[in-house]
Amino acid sequence: MLDFFKALAYNADSPLVFNSVLFFILFTAFYGVYINFFERIRVRNILLLAFSLYFYYKISGFFVILLVLMATSDFFLGKAIFNSKTDSRKRWFMAISIIVNLGALCYYKYTNFFIQSWFGLQGVESPILLNIVMPVGISFFVFKSLSYIFDLNREMIEEPENNYLDYVLYVSFFPNILAGPISKARNLLPQFKQQFVLTEEMIGKAIFLILTGAFKKVFIADYLAGNFVDRVFDGPNFFTGFENLMASFGAMIQIYADFSGYTDIVIGIALLLGIVVEPNFNKPFLAKNITDFWRRWHMTLAQWLNEYLFYPLTYNLRSLKKLGVIIAVFVTFFVSGFWHGASWTYVLWGCSHGLALIWDIVSEGMRDGIKKVIPKNIYGFFSVFLTFLFLSLSVVLFKSGDLKTAGMVYGKIFTDLNFSLAGQWISLYSKPFMLMVLAMALHFTPMTWNNYLVARYSKMSVGMKAVLAFIAILIIYQAYSSDALPFVYLEF
Amino acid sequence: MENEIIEKLTPIFRKVFKEPALEVTATLSANDVEKWDSLSHLILISTVESEFGVKFKLKELVAMKNAGDLIKLIETKLQ
């Protein structure tokens, strides 16, 4: 019995993640209570808040207090912004919120990075390494809360939130607190005020999303990482250039399957609760260029950066016309890279995407010219292929823990590439290869197939749904070995 | 007033979005025009500002959903 209670307390070594048995038990128990109060808005929201705060405590310990304090600060600053008579007063309160939010983010996430970079610039190894633990999900909940402040300031939200508990619930809402989608206050907060609706179709869709999410995570992401991609990235020099190239393709597919699988689970869990969370992915590998890619990949982050950083930057630089946009693009992607992690590999990854977007801007006329002389299908195919090639080569920076590893992978790809080894590689790594093909093929299937399956599943009887879900869970659980990997985006 | 603004806006829209036959209506939005992206939007705004001799605030631009909003905004600025 005591062990059971111990399991419920915070333990840094066993965080509560969506793909754990403990989460499954706790969520089922919570849901059993929650569903009985589904129509009583106040009780329902308090239950959601209590479970959200417990969930965060279980993962991050007493950082839950920091989370509540930060939400409290923005709740009152939001009111102050609304009640300000002048624009300059508004700006002052907004500046305080930015300092509190980004200050906390910088302290927990970047202090050691700044210290190390400072000493690195002087050519010596840093003698100091502070023991700072980063609160999980801080990059995500800080952005969530800031969206509320920014929207109030620019009057996209007409009135400040008056219910303190609902605001804390918005910031701490457990499905998306750890790794997004980064919901905007203007989308999520109004839902907490409404009577939730939960139709058979929504339940069917939710379970379908949770199962496909788990499938993507366990069968594609973890399998690819464990059986091929991570091996290559652990020692690129032990593999051929061709294998390094395949590993960079595999890394892109792995990160997609991992993060979009995670997001599917989040959206599914939120849907079971009666909440619609914004989507994060829309078939990103169909992108025809990197601008298009960022409309399809980690959409809530891209939209956040677009609305609150890129657009204000272009506004202020509008007298520079095209050059203003180019500067704004580069700054936005530099920040995006830095947001992903306190490491130069992420910064360079962000910059590479920034340069690709700048290329999209400056080459528009030339591309329009090529489009006129090449058949549409061929142009489309090469656009998609070259975009994926760029994504895979740039993700090497994202996937490598350090610049040295990235350099080795690039060295192998660009100096030791021999396509005649393809047959040998496929026979040696037939399963990872098949999975990569499968992941891409699934990516290219029409949305109607997906909708058809969801509709069929939704229409089944409760018993049939339960049996199918149970079988799926069993299969996934069989494959889910004890050395299962954590979700990639939980590190940010 | 509204018609005069539309008359003056039409050549600007046509030039910025490279569509010589584009008709500016109140409901026209970025969804209807292929070349209406963040770059052309910015060039549109800065051209409108200099042609009409007005200055927009960031929050006015954020709230703008279609050409109709832009026309109304210019109208209030000119009055």
Side-chain angles (χ1 to χ4, degrees):
Chain A
M1 194 66 188
L2 196 64
D3 283 350
F4 178 72
F5 284 111
K6 258 190 194 165
L8 294 181
Y10 166 63
N11 178 352
D13 297 326
S14 72
L16 184 61
V17 282
F18 295 141
N19 51 354
S20 67
V21 179
L22 184 62
F23 177 78
F24 186 74
I25 295 169
L26 289 175
F27 181 72
T28 310
F30 162 73
Y31 200 65
V33 179
Y34 176 80
I35 207 79
N36 284 304
F37 294 96
F38 200 69
E39 282 163 3
R40 292 173 61 187
I41 296 177
R42 287 267 52 89
V43 185
R44 174 201 75 191
N45 285 5
I46 288 170
L47 281 172
L48 268 182
L49 176 63
F51 191 75
S52 294
L53 293 179
Y54 169 71
F55 179 80
Y56 195 71
Y57 156 76
K58 182 72 184 85
I59 287 180
S60 268
F62 289 101
F63 278 132
V64 68
I65 295 169
L66 177 81
L67 172 73
V68 173
L69 285 177
M70 285 174 71
T72 307
S73 144
D74 277 343
F75 175 75
F76 287 108
L77 285 169
K79 280 186 177 299
I81 288 172
F82 181 75
N83 293 325
S84 296
K85 296 277 185 294
T86 60
D87 277 357
S88 71
R89 244 180 107 81
K90 272 188 184 185
R91 275 200 288 272
W92 269 109
F93 287 121
M94 190 171 75
I96 297 171
S97 169
I98 293 173
I99 292 167
V100 169
N101 280 291
L102 296 187
L105 182 63
C106 285
Y107 171 74
Y108 286 110
K109 195 165 173 175
Y110 301 108
T111 306
N112 275 325
F113 174 74
F114 286 137
I115 295 173
Q116 280 169 336
S117 298
W118 171 253
F119 282 101
L121 279 176
Q122 296 166 43
V124 286
E125 199 154 303
S126 169
I128 321 163
L129 191 67
L130 299 178
N131 184 21
I132 300 173
V133 179
M134 188 176 86
V136 185
I138 188 165
S139 314
F140 293 89
F141 70 70
V142 155
F143 270 30
K144 251 164 102 179
S145 202
L146 276 176
S147 88
Y148 169 73
I149 294 293
F150 291 154
D151 278 358
L152 262 177
N153 182 57
R154 52 169 71 176
E155 292 161 24
M156 291 288 279
I157 294 178
E158 281 163 12
E159 272 185 37
E161 176 57 48
N162 280 318
N163 188 308
Y164 171 70
L165 294 180
D166 283 357
Y167 189 75
V168 182
L169 172 60
Y170 159 65
V171 180
S172 65
F173 184 55
F174 77 91
N176 70 358
I177 193 175
L178 301 179
I182 305 168
S183 293
K184 295 222 175 68
R186 60 176 195 256
N187 295 336
L188 202 53
L189 264 172
Q191 293 190 56
F192 293 136
K193 310 287 176 198
Q194 291 162 1
Q195 196 69 260
F196 290 165
V197 191
L198 196 60
T199 59
E200 284 260 308
E201 200 194 335
M202 281 168 82
I203 297 175
K205 195 178 167 193
I207 294 173
F208 191 81
L209 275 169
I210 294 169
L211 292 178
T212 49
F215 176 85
K216 280 183 191 169
K217 165 72 181 157
V218 174
F219 281 98
I220 301 178
D222 285 1
Y223 190 88
L224 268 184
N227 292 287
F228 175 54
V229 178
D230 284 2
R231 290 188 202 169
V232 176
F233 276 85
D234 282 345
N237 284 340
F238 296 116
F239 294 85
T240 63
F242 183 77
E243 283 167 320
N244 274 276
L245 180 66
M246 287 299 118
S248 70
F249 289 160
M252 193 63 218
I253 294 171
Q254 178 223 331
I255 291 169
Y256 166 71
D258 193 287
F259 192 23
S260 80
Y262 175 84
T263 307
D264 286 348
I265 296 173
V266 168
I267 295 174
I269 291 173
L271 207 54
L272 280 181
L273 298 167
I275 299 274
V276 180
V277 170
E278 300 93 323
N280 241 354
F281 292 92
N282 178 21
K283 304 200 172 213
F285 299 152
L286 294 186
K288 290 191 169 71
N289 50 53
I290 301 300
T291 312
D292 188 18
F293 172 74
W294 281 101
R295 289 188 196 113
R296 296 164 171 273
W297 173 274
H298 205 174
M299 288 147 72
T300 54
L301 174 71
Q303 285 155 5
W304 196 101
L305 290 170
N306 183 43
E307 239 180 88
Y308 306 122
L309 180 63
F310 175 73
Y311 197 69
L313 274 174
T314 56
Y315 169 79
N316 285 302
L317 298 170
R318 66 195 185 287
S319 59
L320 300 175
K321 305 233 161 149
K322 208 179 209 177
L323 180 66
V325 177
I326 288 174
I327 295 171
V329 163
F330 196 78
V331 172
T332 305
F333 277 86
F334 181 87
V335 170
S336 167
F338 205 45
W339 175 90
H340 276 81
S343 149
W344 288 111
T345 49
Y346 290 117
V347 175
L348 283 178
W349 169 79
C351 291
S352 74
H353 277 245
L355 290 175
L357 260 89
I358 292 169
W359 165 255
D360 283 348
I361 294 170
V362 297
S363 68
E364 198 194 358
M366 187 190 83
R367 285 185 290 130
D368 280 351
I370 297 174
K371 249 187 234 173
K372 279 180 195 144
V373 290
I374 290 182
K376 208 178 159 193
N377 288 346
I378 296 178
Y379 184 86
F381 171 79
F382 276 102
S383 304
V384 171
F385 175 73
L386 289 175
T387 303
F388 186 71
L389 185 65
F390 171 83
L391 291 171
S392 302
L393 289 177
S394 68
V395 92
V396 168
L397 289 162
F398 192 99
K399 175 83 186 166
S400 303
D402 49 67
L403 289 174
K404 203 176 144 202
T405 309
M408 282 196 273
V409 175
Y410 286 133
K412 276 286 177 183
I413 291 176
F414 290 111
T415 61
D416 181 26
L417 196 57
N418 183 355
F419 285 100
S420 63
L421 297 172
Q424 195 191 343
W425 178 79
I426 291 172
S427 61
L428 204 61
Y429 288 100
S430 57
K431 279 186 193 161
F433 172 71
M434 298 280 276
L435 273 178
M436 281 159 71
V437 173
L438 173 74
M440 288 308 265
L442 284 177
H443 209 83
F444 285 80
T445 53
M447 209 51 205
T448 44
W449 293 13
N450 193 42
N451 294 344
Y452 173 77
L453 283 175
V454 173
R456 279 299 297 267
Y457 185 76
S458 304
K459 283 193 191 111
M460 284 175 187
S461 65
V462 178
M464 199 59 202
K465 265 187 204 141
V467 169
L468 276 180
F470 183 72
I471 293 171
I473 289 171
L474 214 62
I475 297 170
I476 292 166
Y477 201 73
Q478 284 292 322
Y480 185 72
S481 55
S482 56
D483 54 16
L485 303 163
F487 288 103
V488 172
Y489 265 69
L490 291 188
E491 286 172 31
F492 308 140
Chain B
M1 183 78 161
E2 196 185 315
N3 287 339
E4 281 166 37
I5 295 173
I6 292 179
E7 215 169 285
K8 210 170 163 186
L9 275 179
T10 305
I12 301 174
F13 269 67
R14 287 178 179 176
K15 193 175 166 219
V16 171
F17 300 128
K18 295 177 187 135
E19 279 194 36
L22 189 67
E23 289 296 331
V24 178
T25 61
T27 52
L28 186 76
S29 74
N31 294 334
D32 311 313
V33 185
E34 198 202 332
K35 294 264 178 206
W36 196 333
D37 55 20
S38 48
L39 171 63
S40 55
H41 179 75
L42 180 84
I43 291 173
L44 174 77
I45 294 302
S46 65
T47 316
V48 169
E49 281 187 330
S50 57
E51 290 287 320
F52 285 85
V54 292
K55 278 264 173 272
F56 299 123
K57 284 183 183 170
L58 179 60
K59 74 178 168 203
E60 292 166 341
L61 295 179
V62 169
M64 207 168 73
K65 295 278 171 282
N66 52 31
D69 290 344
L70 177 66
I71 294 163
K72 266 185 234 147
L73 198 57
I74 297 170
E75 213 172 339
T76 47
K77 295 262 166 191
L78 291 177
Q79 272 160 6

